Amino acid sequence: MGNLFTKKPKVTDVDRAILSLKTQRRKLAQYQQQLEKVIETEKQVARDLLREKKKDRALLALKKKKMQEELVKQVDAWLINVEQQLADIELTSKQKAVFESLKTGNNAIKALQSEINLDDVQKLMDDTDEAKVYQDRWHEVH
């Protein structure tokens, strides 16, 4: 029964973007692992073909390996972009939190200042000055 009144956290567009980027990062990492396996396979195939004296086919396997290595470089660049976007979102989120905190603090200062009457402050300072003058005179006399 208690669950009827609990609020579900609202999923924002930022949350969706973060989830999408993290999902893409995971898929790119998986793709990168697949490419690494293909590269290792092509290297082994090239070695085997060289042992069998099939130089042309070994060169073809090495070209395939080179192509896969270029794909790995491209995936690395994509991963860097995804990581950069995630970092940018996190930084912007922290900046927003700081801004909101500063705004709340500023509102608190304004609220406190509105409770203080400037005339009362001036009167208090005048009274304090008078008391100090009285105290100084008292010390001079005694």
Side-chain angles (χ1 to χ4, degrees):
M1 283 302 277
N3 289 342
L4 293 176
F5 298 107
T6 58
K7 283 175 64 175
K8 288 185 179 178
K10 184 180 178 193
V11 178
T12 65
D13 288 340
V14 173
D15 295 331
R16 284 187 194 92
I18 290 171
L19 178 62
S20 175
L21 286 167
K22 286 183 177 182
T23 299
Q24 195 59 45
R25 178 179 61 188
R26 182 181 45 80
K27 287 180 181 180
L28 286 171
Q30 288 172 344
Y31 182 51
Q32 201 171 35
Q33 288 175 348
Q34 291 172 345
L35 291 172
E36 294 292 344
K37 287 179 185 176
V38 171
I39 289 169
E40 287 304 314
T41 300
E42 292 298 335
K43 276 202 277 190
Q44 189 59 46
V45 166
R47 281 188 209 118
D48 293 345
L49 288 169
L50 280 175
R51 272 189 233 114
E52 296 171 12
K53 308 283 188 212
K54 297 180 182 178
K55 184 178 177 182
D56 291 341
R57 304 242 355 241
L59 284 173
L60 182 63
L62 289 174
K63 284 181 183 179
K64 286 181 182 179
K65 178 186 93 64
K66 178 81 170 169
M67 184 182 72
Q68 297 300 317
E69 289 171 340
E70 292 300 318
L71 284 173
V72 167
K73 288 179 186 177
Q74 183 65 43
V75 171
D76 281 338
W78 292 339
L79 277 169
I80 288 170
N81 286 338
V82 168
E83 289 292 341
Q84 184 62 51
Q85 274 230 301
L86 282 168
D88 290 346
I89 289 171
E90 183 178 343
L91 177 63
T92 304
S93 176
K94 289 185 185 312
Q95 287 173 336
K96 181 184 176 199
V98 168
F99 173 77
E100 292 298 326
S101 295
L102 289 172
K103 194 163 94 173
T104 301
N106 192 35
N107 289 338
I109 289 171
K110 285 179 182 178
L112 289 169
Q113 287 174 339
S114 71
E115 294 175 10
I116 300 172
N117 183 338
L118 286 179
D119 292 335
D120 292 343
V121 171
Q122 187 60 48
K123 184 174 180 341
L124 178 62
M125 292 187 68
D126 290 343
D127 290 347
T128 303
D129 286 343
E130 287 175 18
K132 184 173 178 345
V133 168
Y134 177 81
Q135 188 69 26
D136 290 344
R137 284 186 186 161
W138 194 81
H139 280 301
E140 287 174 11
V141 172
H142 289 41

